[in-house]
mmCIF file of all heavy atoms in Angstrom:
data_model
loop_
_atom_site.group_PDB
_atom_site.id
_atom_site.type_symbol
_atom_site.label_atom_id
_atom_site.label_comp_id
_atom_site.label_asym_id
_atom_site.label_seq_id
_atom_site.Cartn_x
_atom_site.Cartn_y
_atom_site.Cartn_z
ATOM 1 N N VAL U 1342 83.293 64.061 98.364
ATOM 2 C CA VAL U 1342 83.173 64.060 96.988
ATOM 3 C C VAL U 1342 82.775 62.667 96.517
ATOM 4 O O VAL U 1342 83.415 61.717 96.826
ATOM 5 C CB VAL U 1342 84.408 64.557 96.200
ATOM 6 C CG1 VAL U 1342 84.134 64.564 94.802
ATOM 7 C CG2 VAL U 1342 84.997 65.955 96.805
ATOM 8 N N ARG U 1343 81.805 62.689 95.545
ATOM 9 C CA ARG U 1343 81.347 61.392 95.091
ATOM 10 C C ARG U 1343 81.527 61.406 93.494
ATOM 11 O O ARG U 1343 81.184 62.438 92.881
ATOM 12 C CB ARG U 1343 79.809 61.073 95.530
ATOM 13 C CG ARG U 1343 79.664 60.901 96.928
ATOM 14 C CD ARG U 1343 78.165 60.598 97.204
ATOM 15 N NE ARG U 1343 77.303 61.711 96.958
ATOM 16 C CZ ARG U 1343 76.937 62.684 97.824
ATOM 17 N NH1 ARG U 1343 77.437 62.646 99.046
ATOM 18 N NH2 ARG U 1343 76.036 63.527 97.440
ATOM 19 N N TYR U 1344 81.865 60.252 93.002
ATOM 20 C CA TYR U 1344 82.104 60.119 91.535
ATOM 21 C C TYR U 1344 81.342 58.838 90.974
ATOM 22 O O TYR U 1344 81.145 58.080 91.699
ATOM 23 C CB TYR U 1344 83.556 59.875 91.244
ATOM 24 C CG TYR U 1344 84.435 61.208 91.562
ATOM 25 C CD1 TYR U 1344 85.171 61.110 92.685
ATOM 26 C CD2 TYR U 1344 84.641 62.131 90.578
ATOM 27 C CE1 TYR U 1344 85.971 62.310 92.971
ATOM 28 C CE2 TYR U 1344 85.360 63.250 90.902
ATOM 29 C CZ TYR U 1344 86.125 63.336 92.067
ATOM 30 O OH TYR U 1344 86.916 64.424 92.378
ATOM 31 N N MET U 1345 80.956 59.049 89.866
ATOM 32 C CA MET U 1345 80.438 57.828 89.036
ATOM 33 C C MET U 1345 81.430 57.508 88.084
ATOM 34 O O MET U 1345 81.966 58.245 87.249
ATOM 35 C CB MET U 1345 79.164 58.313 88.326
ATOM 36 C CG MET U 1345 78.411 57.110 87.500
ATOM 37 S SD MET U 1345 79.183 56.678 85.959
ATOM 38 C CE MET U 1345 78.904 58.190 85.095
ATOM 39 N N VAL U 1346 81.860 56.264 88.182
ATOM 40 C CA VAL U 1346 82.891 55.730 87.354
ATOM 41 C C VAL U 1346 82.567 54.506 86.690
ATOM 42 O O VAL U 1346 82.005 53.473 87.237
ATOM 43 C CB VAL U 1346 84.217 55.381 88.346
ATOM 44 C CG1 VAL U 1346 85.486 55.064 87.384
ATOM 45 C CG2 VAL U 1346 84.502 56.561 89.177
ATOM 46 N N LYS U 1347 82.782 54.406 85.385
ATOM 47 C CA LYS U 1347 82.474 53.282 84.528
ATOM 48 C C LYS U 1347 83.895 52.633 84.122
ATOM 49 O O LYS U 1347 84.790 53.204 83.557
ATOM 50 C CB LYS U 1347 81.791 53.528 83.296
ATOM 51 C CG LYS U 1347 80.370 54.019 83.555
ATOM 52 C CD LYS U 1347 79.586 54.225 82.289
ATOM 53 C CE LYS U 1347 78.158 54.719 82.480
ATOM 54 N NZ LYS U 1347 77.325 54.822 81.273
ATOM 55 N N ILE U 1348 84.052 51.386 84.562
ATOM 56 C CA ILE U 1348 85.278 50.590 84.299
ATOM 57 C C ILE U 1348 85.040 49.240 83.705
ATOM 58 O O ILE U 1348 84.189 48.478 84.119
ATOM 59 C CB ILE U 1348 86.070 50.405 85.772
ATOM 60 C CG1 ILE U 1348 86.280 51.735 86.351
ATOM 61 C CG2 ILE U 1348 87.460 49.570 85.598
ATOM 62 C CD1 ILE U 1348 86.848 51.722 87.814
ATOM 63 N N CYS U 1349 85.967 48.922 82.777
ATOM 64 C CA CYS U 1349 85.840 47.484 82.132
ATOM 65 C C CYS U 1349 86.815 46.560 82.839
ATOM 66 O O CYS U 1349 88.071 46.936 83.121
ATOM 67 C CB CYS U 1349 86.389 47.616 80.638
ATOM 68 S SG CYS U 1349 85.386 48.657 79.635
ATOM 69 N N GLY U 1350 86.239 45.476 83.386
ATOM 70 C CA GLY U 1350 87.111 44.494 84.160
ATOM 71 C C GLY U 1350 86.146 43.632 84.985
ATOM 72 O O GLY U 1350 84.958 43.826 85.055
ATOM 73 N N PRO U 1351 86.745 42.660 85.596
ATOM 74 C CA PRO U 1351 85.816 41.675 86.435
ATOM 75 C C PRO U 1351 85.388 42.533 87.709
ATOM 76 O O PRO U 1351 86.045 43.165 88.476
ATOM 77 C CB PRO U 1351 86.849 40.675 86.984
ATOM 78 C CG PRO U 1351 88.231 41.344 86.789
ATOM 79 C CD PRO U 1351 88.141 42.215 85.627
ATOM 80 N N GLN U 1352 84.039 42.430 87.769
ATOM 81 C CA GLN U 1352 83.445 43.417 88.641
ATOM 82 C C GLN U 1352 83.680 43.321 90.162
ATOM 83 O O GLN U 1352 84.114 44.385 90.594
ATOM 84 C CB GLN U 1352 81.655 42.965 88.568
ATOM 85 C CG GLN U 1352 80.935 43.943 89.346
ATOM 86 C CD GLN U 1352 79.396 43.358 89.230
ATOM 87 O OE1 GLN U 1352 79.095 42.276 89.420
ATOM 88 N NE2 GLN U 1352 78.542 44.308 88.904
ATOM 89 N N ARG U 1353 83.888 42.115 90.687
ATOM 90 C CA ARG U 1353 84.317 42.030 92.012
ATOM 91 C C ARG U 1353 85.610 42.543 92.275
ATOM 92 O O ARG U 1353 86.025 43.150 93.322
ATOM 93 C CB ARG U 1353 83.992 40.756 92.451
ATOM 94 C CG ARG U 1353 84.140 40.286 94.117
ATOM 95 C CD ARG U 1353 83.622 41.459 95.068
ATOM 96 N NE ARG U 1353 82.198 41.377 94.779
ATOM 97 C CZ ARG U 1353 81.362 42.239 95.535
ATOM 98 N NH1 ARG U 1353 81.913 43.064 96.327
ATOM 99 N NH2 ARG U 1353 80.040 42.148 95.403
ATOM 100 N N GLU U 1354 86.589 42.115 91.412
ATOM 101 C CA GLU U 1354 87.978 42.424 91.527
ATOM 102 C C GLU U 1354 88.216 43.971 91.417
ATOM 103 O O GLU U 1354 88.932 44.499 92.066
ATOM 104 C CB GLU U 1354 88.777 41.672 90.489
ATOM 105 C CG GLU U 1354 88.870 40.280 90.768
ATOM 106 C CD GLU U 1354 89.627 39.491 89.666
ATOM 107 O OE1 GLU U 1354 90.707 40.073 89.305
ATOM 108 O OE2 GLU U 1354 89.244 38.320 89.268
ATOM 109 N N VAL U 1355 87.534 44.487 90.441
ATOM 110 C CA VAL U 1355 87.608 46.100 90.278
ATOM 111 C C VAL U 1355 87.075 46.662 91.568
ATOM 112 O O VAL U 1355 87.695 47.720 91.948
ATOM 113 C CB VAL U 1355 86.672 46.514 89.089
ATOM 114 C CG1 VAL U 1355 86.656 47.891 89.004
ATOM 115 C CG2 VAL U 1355 87.258 46.007 87.752
ATOM 116 N N LEU U 1356 86.112 46.334 92.097
ATOM 117 C CA LEU U 1356 85.516 46.953 93.308
ATOM 118 C C LEU U 1356 86.411 46.801 94.452
ATOM 119 O O LEU U 1356 86.778 47.841 95.072
ATOM 120 C CB LEU U 1356 84.135 46.212 93.708
ATOM 121 C CG LEU U 1356 83.534 46.824 95.005
ATOM 122 C CD1 LEU U 1356 83.248 48.312 94.757
ATOM 123 C CD2 LEU U 1356 82.245 46.027 95.390
ATOM 124 N N ASP U 1357 87.057 45.677 94.630
ATOM 125 C CA ASP U 1357 88.145 45.370 95.670
ATOM 126 C C ASP U 1357 89.334 46.447 95.457
ATOM 127 O O ASP U 1357 89.881 47.132 96.459
ATOM 128 C CB ASP U 1357 88.639 44.087 95.794
ATOM 129 C CG ASP U 1357 87.538 43.075 96.375
ATOM 130 O OD1 ASP U 1357 86.585 43.592 96.963
ATOM 131 O OD2 ASP U 1357 87.584 41.874 96.080
ATOM 132 N N ALA U 1358 89.786 46.584 94.256
ATOM 133 C CA ALA U 1358 90.872 47.349 93.863
ATOM 134 C C ALA U 1358 90.519 48.888 94.036
ATOM 135 O O ALA U 1358 91.466 49.619 94.568
ATOM 136 C CB ALA U 1358 91.154 47.125 92.357
ATOM 137 N N ILE U 1359 89.315 49.331 93.695
ATOM 138 C CA ILE U 1359 88.886 50.630 94.050
ATOM 139 C C ILE U 1359 88.942 51.015 95.436
ATOM 140 O O ILE U 1359 89.417 51.991 95.977
ATOM 141 C CB ILE U 1359 87.475 50.839 93.468
ATOM 142 C CG1 ILE U 1359 87.360 50.758 92.018
ATOM 143 C CG2 ILE U 1359 86.884 52.215 93.915
ATOM 144 C CD1 ILE U 1359 85.990 50.860 91.392
ATOM 145 N N ARG U 1360 88.488 49.986 96.288
ATOM 146 C CA ARG U 1360 88.280 50.347 97.639
ATOM 147 C C ARG U 1360 89.862 50.352 98.406
ATOM 148 O O ARG U 1360 90.069 50.918 99.542
ATOM 149 C CB ARG U 1360 87.675 49.170 98.420
ATOM 150 C CG ARG U 1360 86.124 49.197 98.187
ATOM 151 C CD ARG U 1360 85.301 48.079 98.644
ATOM 152 N NE ARG U 1360 83.931 48.324 98.528
ATOM 153 C CZ ARG U 1360 82.977 47.243 98.732
ATOM 154 N NH1 ARG U 1360 83.318 45.935 99.018
ATOM 155 N NH2 ARG U 1360 81.663 47.552 98.681
ATOM 156 N N ALA U 1361 90.872 49.783 97.578
ATOM 157 C CA ALA U 1361 92.094 49.822 98.247
ATOM 158 C C ALA U 1361 92.922 51.092 97.688
ATOM 159 O O ALA U 1361 94.041 51.294 98.135
ATOM 160 C CB ALA U 1361 92.874 48.527 97.593
ATOM 161 N N VAL U 1362 92.244 51.841 96.783
ATOM 162 C CA VAL U 1362 92.988 53.177 96.371
ATOM 163 C C VAL U 1362 93.099 54.134 97.512
ATOM 164 O O VAL U 1362 92.183 54.353 98.206
ATOM 165 C CB VAL U 1362 92.281 53.663 95.129
ATOM 166 C CG1 VAL U 1362 92.785 55.042 94.786
ATOM 167 C CG2 VAL U 1362 92.356 52.754 93.963
ATOM 168 N N ASP U 1363 94.212 54.728 97.600
ATOM 169 C CA ASP U 1363 94.376 55.826 98.507
ATOM 170 C C ASP U 1363 93.486 56.951 98.397
ATOM 171 O O ASP U 1363 93.426 57.507 97.290
ATOM 172 C CB ASP U 1363 95.950 56.294 98.558
ATOM 173 C CG ASP U 1363 96.274 57.299 99.612
ATOM 174 O OD1 ASP U 1363 95.720 57.097 100.716
ATOM 175 O OD2 ASP U 1363 97.045 58.191 99.434
ATOM 176 N N GLY U 1364 92.798 57.313 99.442
ATOM 177 C CA GLY U 1364 91.849 58.367 99.409
ATOM 178 C C GLY U 1364 90.422 58.037 99.175
ATOM 179 O O GLY U 1364 89.475 58.752 99.397
ATOM 180 N N VAL U 1365 90.093 56.881 98.866
ATOM 181 C CA VAL U 1365 88.710 56.349 98.687
ATOM 182 C C VAL U 1365 88.245 55.913 100.081
ATOM 183 O O VAL U 1365 88.789 55.120 100.770
ATOM 184 C CB VAL U 1365 88.724 55.091 97.724
ATOM 185 C CG1 VAL U 1365 87.368 54.484 97.694
ATOM 186 C CG2 VAL U 1365 89.226 55.512 96.347
ATOM 187 N N LEU U 1366 87.063 56.585 100.426
ATOM 188 C CA LEU U 1366 86.299 56.164 101.649
ATOM 189 C C LEU U 1366 85.381 55.192 101.533
ATOM 190 O O LEU U 1366 85.176 54.322 102.461
ATOM 191 C CB LEU U 1366 85.623 57.528 102.176
ATOM 192 C CG LEU U 1366 86.571 58.596 102.562
ATOM 193 C CD1 LEU U 1366 85.722 59.894 103.017
ATOM 194 C CD2 LEU U 1366 87.708 58.290 103.582
ATOM 195 N N HIS U 1367 84.557 55.130 100.360
ATOM 196 C CA HIS U 1367 83.554 54.138 100.197
ATOM 197 C C HIS U 1367 83.422 53.879 98.654
ATOM 198 O O HIS U 1367 83.672 54.794 97.798
ATOM 199 C CB HIS U 1367 82.343 54.747 100.806
ATOM 200 C CG HIS U 1367 81.040 53.805 100.543
ATOM 201 N ND1 HIS U 1367 80.882 52.759 101.198
ATOM 202 C CD2 HIS U 1367 80.031 53.919 99.692
ATOM 203 C CE1 HIS U 1367 79.770 52.080 100.928
ATOM 204 N NE2 HIS U 1367 79.257 52.812 99.827
ATOM 205 N N ALA U 1368 83.046 52.660 98.192
ATOM 206 C CA ALA U 1368 82.686 52.323 96.937
ATOM 207 C C ALA U 1368 81.638 51.275 96.927
ATOM 208 O O ALA U 1368 81.665 50.379 97.702
ATOM 209 C CB ALA U 1368 84.047 51.897 96.126
ATOM 210 N N GLU U 1369 80.835 51.324 95.844
ATOM 211 C CA GLU U 1369 79.839 50.353 95.719
ATOM 212 C C GLU U 1369 79.434 50.213 94.299
ATOM 213 O O GLU U 1369 79.781 51.088 93.541
ATOM 214 C CB GLU U 1369 78.554 50.676 96.517
ATOM 215 C CG GLU U 1369 77.899 51.969 95.947
ATOM 216 C CD GLU U 1369 76.707 52.368 96.855
ATOM 217 O OE1 GLU U 1369 76.606 52.110 98.040
ATOM 218 O OE2 GLU U 1369 75.928 53.030 96.348
ATOM 219 N N ILE U 1370 79.103 49.054 93.847
ATOM 220 C CA ILE U 1370 78.710 48.713 92.574
ATOM 221 C C ILE U 1370 77.159 49.106 92.208
ATOM 222 O O ILE U 1370 76.299 48.938 92.960
ATOM 223 C CB ILE U 1370 78.707 47.092 92.192
ATOM 224 C CG1 ILE U 1370 80.307 46.765 92.578
ATOM 225 C CG2 ILE U 1370 78.349 46.796 90.771
ATOM 226 C CD1 ILE U 1370 80.247 45.156 92.376
ATOM 227 N N SER U 1371 76.978 49.701 91.138
ATOM 228 C CA SER U 1371 75.673 50.159 90.611
ATOM 229 C C SER U 1371 75.119 49.093 89.774
ATOM 230 O O SER U 1371 75.772 48.114 89.226
ATOM 231 C CB SER U 1371 75.828 51.387 89.769
ATOM 232 O OG SER U 1371 74.586 51.630 89.019
ATOM 233 N N SER U 1372 73.754 48.896 89.692
ATOM 234 C CA SER U 1372 73.131 47.817 88.747
ATOM 235 C C SER U 1372 73.330 48.265 87.253
ATOM 236 O O SER U 1372 73.042 47.359 86.442
ATOM 237 C CB SER U 1372 71.668 47.823 89.100
ATOM 238 O OG SER U 1372 71.069 49.067 88.904
ATOM 239 N N GLU U 1373 73.821 49.389 87.020
ATOM 240 C CA GLU U 1373 73.885 49.802 85.607
ATOM 241 C C GLU U 1373 75.087 49.113 84.974
ATOM 242 O O GLU U 1373 76.294 49.051 85.475
ATOM 243 C CB GLU U 1373 74.058 51.316 85.544
ATOM 244 C CG GLU U 1373 74.177 51.971 84.178
ATOM 245 C CD GLU U 1373 74.416 53.386 84.065
ATOM 246 O OE1 GLU U 1373 74.239 54.100 85.210
ATOM 247 O OE2 GLU U 1373 74.745 53.979 83.000
ATOM 248 N N ARG U 1374 74.969 48.610 83.658
ATOM 249 C CA ARG U 1374 75.984 48.065 83.019
ATOM 250 C C ARG U 1374 75.851 48.340 81.532
ATOM 251 O O ARG U 1374 74.815 48.458 81.041
ATOM 252 C CB ARG U 1374 75.838 46.503 83.179
ATOM 253 C CG ARG U 1374 76.961 45.710 82.370
ATOM 254 C CD ARG U 1374 76.884 44.280 82.454
ATOM 255 N NE ARG U 1374 77.763 43.568 81.779
ATOM 256 C CZ ARG U 1374 78.126 42.233 81.831
ATOM 257 N NH1 ARG U 1374 77.330 41.440 82.605
ATOM 258 N NH2 ARG U 1374 79.114 41.674 81.165
ATOM 259 N N GLU U 1375 77.090 48.640 80.893
ATOM 260 C CA GLU U 1375 77.166 49.020 79.517
ATOM 261 C C GLU U 1375 78.162 48.154 78.824
ATOM 262 O O GLU U 1375 79.342 48.336 78.952
ATOM 263 C CB GLU U 1375 77.438 50.497 79.350
ATOM 264 C CG GLU U 1375 77.339 50.920 77.932
ATOM 265 C CD GLU U 1375 77.713 52.485 77.764
ATOM 266 O OE1 GLU U 1375 77.586 53.209 78.901
ATOM 267 O OE2 GLU U 1375 78.145 52.755 76.675
ATOM 268 N N LYS U 1376 77.721 47.196 77.964
ATOM 269 C CA LYS U 1376 78.638 46.271 77.368
ATOM 270 C C LYS U 1376 79.544 45.517 78.337
ATOM 271 O O LYS U 1376 79.037 44.873 79.339
ATOM 272 C CB LYS U 1376 79.377 46.924 76.246
ATOM 273 C CG LYS U 1376 78.511 47.437 75.059
ATOM 274 C CD LYS U 1376 79.364 48.105 73.938
ATOM 275 C CE LYS U 1376 78.335 48.602 72.936
ATOM 276 N NZ LYS U 1376 79.076 49.177 71.795
ATOM 277 N N ASP U 1377 80.828 45.785 78.318
ATOM 278 C CA ASP U 1377 81.722 45.203 79.370
ATOM 279 C C ASP U 1377 82.138 45.981 80.289
ATOM 280 O O ASP U 1377 83.087 45.724 81.017
ATOM 281 C CB ASP U 1377 82.929 44.732 78.461
ATOM 282 C CG ASP U 1377 83.749 45.722 77.672
ATOM 283 O OD1 ASP U 1377 83.200 46.782 77.579
ATOM 284 O OD2 ASP U 1377 84.880 45.552 77.385
ATOM 285 N N SER U 1378 81.456 47.172 80.618
ATOM 286 C CA SER U 1378 81.846 48.050 81.710
ATOM 287 C C SER U 1378 80.862 47.981 82.767
ATOM 288 O O SER U 1378 79.586 47.903 82.449
ATOM 289 C CB SER U 1378 82.088 49.431 81.192
ATOM 290 O OG SER U 1378 80.924 50.014 80.827
ATOM 291 N N PHE U 1379 81.224 48.170 83.967
ATOM 292 C CA PHE U 1379 80.298 48.214 85.150
ATOM 293 C C PHE U 1379 80.478 49.618 85.808
ATOM 294 O O PHE U 1379 81.492 50.342 85.678
ATOM 295 C CB PHE U 1379 80.616 47.173 86.161
ATOM 296 C CG PHE U 1379 80.358 45.730 85.743
ATOM 297 C CD1 PHE U 1379 81.270 44.964 85.146
ATOM 298 C CD2 PHE U 1379 79.118 45.184 85.925
ATOM 299 C CE1 PHE U 1379 81.170 43.800 84.671
ATOM 300 C CE2 PHE U 1379 78.852 43.851 85.521
ATOM 301 C CZ PHE U 1379 79.938 43.136 84.810
ATOM 302 N N THR U 1380 79.387 50.091 86.434
ATOM 303 C CA THR U 1380 79.420 51.432 87.017
ATOM 304 C C THR U 1380 79.571 51.197 88.483
ATOM 305 O O THR U 1380 78.992 50.387 88.984
ATOM 306 C CB THR U 1380 78.012 52.100 86.672
ATOM 307 O OG1 THR U 1380 77.786 52.281 85.383
ATOM 308 C CG2 THR U 1380 78.008 53.454 87.379
ATOM 309 N N TYR U 1381 80.455 52.209 88.875
ATOM 310 C CA TYR U 1381 80.765 52.250 90.395
ATOM 311 C C TYR U 1381 80.461 53.587 90.964
ATOM 312 O O TYR U 1381 80.790 54.603 90.364
ATOM 313 C CB TYR U 1381 82.078 51.773 90.714
ATOM 314 C CG TYR U 1381 82.486 50.488 90.093
ATOM 315 C CD1 TYR U 1381 82.769 50.297 88.674
ATOM 316 C CD2 TYR U 1381 82.495 49.351 90.866
ATOM 317 C CE1 TYR U 1381 83.203 49.090 88.170
ATOM 318 C CE2 TYR U 1381 82.794 48.046 90.205
ATOM 319 C CZ TYR U 1381 83.156 47.842 89.009
ATOM 320 O OH TYR U 1381 83.536 46.723 88.419
ATOM 321 N N HIS U 1382 80.117 53.699 92.228
ATOM 322 C CA HIS U 1382 79.885 55.007 92.805
ATOM 323 C C HIS U 1382 81.003 55.060 93.940
ATOM 324 O O HIS U 1382 81.056 54.202 94.871
ATOM 325 C CB HIS U 1382 78.591 55.112 93.473
ATOM 326 C CG HIS U 1382 77.458 55.108 92.465
ATOM 327 N ND1 HIS U 1382 77.205 56.323 91.668
ATOM 328 C CD2 HIS U 1382 76.616 54.208 92.110
ATOM 329 C CE1 HIS U 1382 76.183 56.092 90.799
ATOM 330 N NE2 HIS U 1382 75.819 54.759 91.136
ATOM 331 N N VAL U 1383 82.070 56.099 93.813
ATOM 332 C CA VAL U 1383 83.068 56.148 94.603
ATOM 333 C C VAL U 1383 83.087 57.428 95.406
ATOM 334 O O VAL U 1383 82.804 58.469 94.830
ATOM 335 C CB VAL U 1383 84.343 56.072 93.697
ATOM 336 C CG1 VAL U 1383 85.668 56.059 94.774
ATOM 337 C CG2 VAL U 1383 84.355 54.845 92.798
ATOM 338 N N GLU U 1384 83.385 57.437 96.696
ATOM 339 C CA GLU U 1384 83.445 58.524 97.629
ATOM 340 C C GLU U 1384 84.753 58.748 98.103
ATOM 341 O O GLU U 1384 85.500 57.847 98.545
ATOM 342 C CB GLU U 1384 82.421 58.338 98.744
ATOM 343 C CG GLU U 1384 82.245 59.483 99.614
ATOM 344 C CD GLU U 1384 81.054 59.344 100.668
ATOM 345 O OE1 GLU U 1384 80.160 58.653 100.184
ATOM 346 O OE2 GLU U 1384 81.192 59.831 101.710
ATOM 347 N N SER U 1385 85.177 60.047 98.094
ATOM 348 C CA SER U 1385 86.524 60.437 98.745
ATOM 349 C C SER U 1385 86.328 61.625 99.607
ATOM 350 O O SER U 1385 85.335 62.305 99.416
ATOM 351 C CB SER U 1385 87.714 60.655 97.598
ATOM 352 O OG SER U 1385 87.238 61.855 96.877
ATOM 353 N N GLU U 1386 87.358 61.887 100.486
ATOM 354 C CA GLU U 1386 87.365 63.249 101.282
ATOM 355 C C GLU U 1386 87.339 64.330 100.361
ATOM 356 O O GLU U 1386 87.790 64.373 99.316
ATOM 357 C CB GLU U 1386 88.534 63.252 102.140
ATOM 358 C CG GLU U 1386 88.584 62.016 103.198
ATOM 359 C CD GLU U 1386 89.838 62.165 104.122
ATOM 360 O OE1 GLU U 1386 90.430 63.101 103.997
ATOM 361 O OE2 GLU U 1386 90.059 61.127 104.816
ATOM 362 N N HIS U 1387 86.493 65.320 100.886
ATOM 363 C CA HIS U 1387 86.256 66.635 100.124
ATOM 364 C C HIS U 1387 87.609 67.406 99.816
ATOM 365 O O HIS U 1387 87.792 68.009 98.785
ATOM 366 C CB HIS U 1387 85.367 67.551 100.761
ATOM 367 C CG HIS U 1387 85.880 68.307 101.969
ATOM 368 N ND1 HIS U 1387 85.937 67.513 103.234
ATOM 369 C CD2 HIS U 1387 86.478 69.436 102.116
ATOM 370 C CE1 HIS U 1387 86.493 68.422 104.136
ATOM 371 N NE2 HIS U 1387 86.698 69.529 103.432
ATOM 372 N N SER U 1388 88.607 67.160 100.722
ATOM 373 C CA SER U 1388 90.046 67.787 100.586
ATOM 374 C C SER U 1388 90.987 66.993 99.820
ATOM 375 O O SER U 1388 92.065 67.526 99.721
ATOM 376 C CB SER U 1388 90.493 68.141 101.905
ATOM 377 O OG SER U 1388 90.672 67.082 102.726
#
């Protein structure tokens, strides 16, 4: 399962925190930005 997530926070630190979340298999930063939020693409197991 893949999600598009917009989060307000320091870009690199947010990405590291997402990757440390239980169940997350992969996460990457998108080039898309809206004001103080960045877009991330996050993948988890289908189950």
Side-chain angles (χ1 to χ4, degrees):
V1342 183
R1343 294 186 292 271
Y1344 294 94
M1345 182 282 295
V1346 188
K1347 292 184 178 181
I1348 303 173
C1349 299
Q1352 188 180 44
R1353 182 52 58 180
E1354 292 178 40
V1355 170
L1356 180 61
D1357 291 340
I1359 292 173
R1360 288 172 173 170
V1362 171
D1363 186 28
V1365 171
L1366 298 177
H1367 176 75
E1369 61 184 24
I1370 300 171
S1371 170
S1372 59
E1373 183 180 347
R1374 179 176 180 175
E1375 183 179 342
K1376 295 182 179 179
D1377 60 340
S1378 70
F1379 293 91
T1380 298
Y1381 304 83
H1382 296 284
V1383 185
E1384 183 175 328
S1385 68
E1386 294 180 11
H1387 73 278
S1388 59

